[in-house]
Amino acid sequence: MVATGGRMQVETTRFGSVEVDDSRLLHFPAGLLGFGRVHQFALLQPDDRGVFFWLQSIESPDVAFVVTDPRLWSSDYTVSMRREQSEEIGLRGNTTPEILVIVNRRESGITANMQGPLVINPENRTGIQIVLTDRRWTTRHELVSVSPVARTVSA
């Protein structure tokens, strides 16, 4: 990665070298579940109308996740945080956090890990991944289903 005054060059295995504005950089002090050694990410937005983004590690070019705002898919989605989790990312009572979930492509469609959201303080761009105890949400919450006929045609 190379900083160039408010912008940074990030090396990725999927997109090559990408220039990222500093406002798109995120820090996860504890890393993400299963990726505890990776802390710095860039939020890449493929286009202005899209609902999916890439959470690209700026430390490991091969680590990237597709993410989305879960409230676009489920209007009743809420996240409850413990006080110490909010304090860990410097989130104060009057600041509304940004919420993202990691998306996975499966044979039957697209799912999201709604049980393990990423909560981001927009003021300092610091985030944490938490695990929800609400049983309505799973690690494979279906967002888009692909019919068996469509799977056959696209194969």
Side-chain angles (χ1 to χ4, degrees):
M1 79 183 141
V2 178
T4 57
R7 298 189 71 73
M8 173 182 287
Q9 286 297 126
V10 176
E11 295 301 320
T12 75
T13 56
R14 285 173 183 78
F15 311 112
S17 183
V18 178
E19 188 174 77
V20 178
D21 188 271
D22 286 352
S23 66
R24 306 296 287 180
L25 300 179
L26 302 172
H27 177 67
F28 289 85
L32 302 180
L33 298 174
F35 295 86
R37 293 190 175 139
V38 183
H39 305 277
Q40 305 289 346
F41 290 87
L43 189 61
L44 307 179
Q45 185 173 4
D47 62 59
D48 292 337
R49 295 165 297 168
V51 295
F52 296 105
F53 304 87
W54 283 94
L55 187 65
Q56 172 67 55
S57 167
I58 60 176
E59 299 159 315
S60 297
D62 59 330
V63 176
F65 305 95
V66 176
V67 296
T68 191
D69 182 338
R71 294 164 294 195
L72 295 173
W73 306 94
S74 185
S75 61
D76 62 338
Y77 187 79
T78 58
V79 172
S80 297
M81 293 179 67
R82 296 188 316 272
R83 188 182 84 244
E84 58 269 15
Q85 291 171 319
S86 295
E87 290 172 356
E88 187 175 329
I89 61 172
L91 195 61
R92 293 178 176 71
N94 59 349
T95 303
T96 301
E98 294 175 9
I99 309 293
L100 296 171
V101 292
I102 296 174
V103 174
N104 290 293
R105 186 178 62 155
R106 305 248 177 253
E107 185 177 311
S108 62
I110 298 173
T111 64
N113 181 357
M114 302 284 255
Q115 193 175 29
L118 310 176
V119 181
I120 302 159
N121 180 341
E123 293 177 351
N124 64 12
R125 298 186 308 273
T126 301
I128 185 173
Q129 184 172 22
I130 63 173
V131 177
L132 301 179
T133 57
D134 186 337
R135 295 290 175 203
R136 290 181 299 162
W137 310 115
T138 69
T139 58
R140 293 185 178 175
H141 184 86
E142 186 176 88
L143 299 182
V144 177
S145 178
V146 178
S147 71
V149 171
R151 284 196 301 263
T152 304
V153 170
S154 65

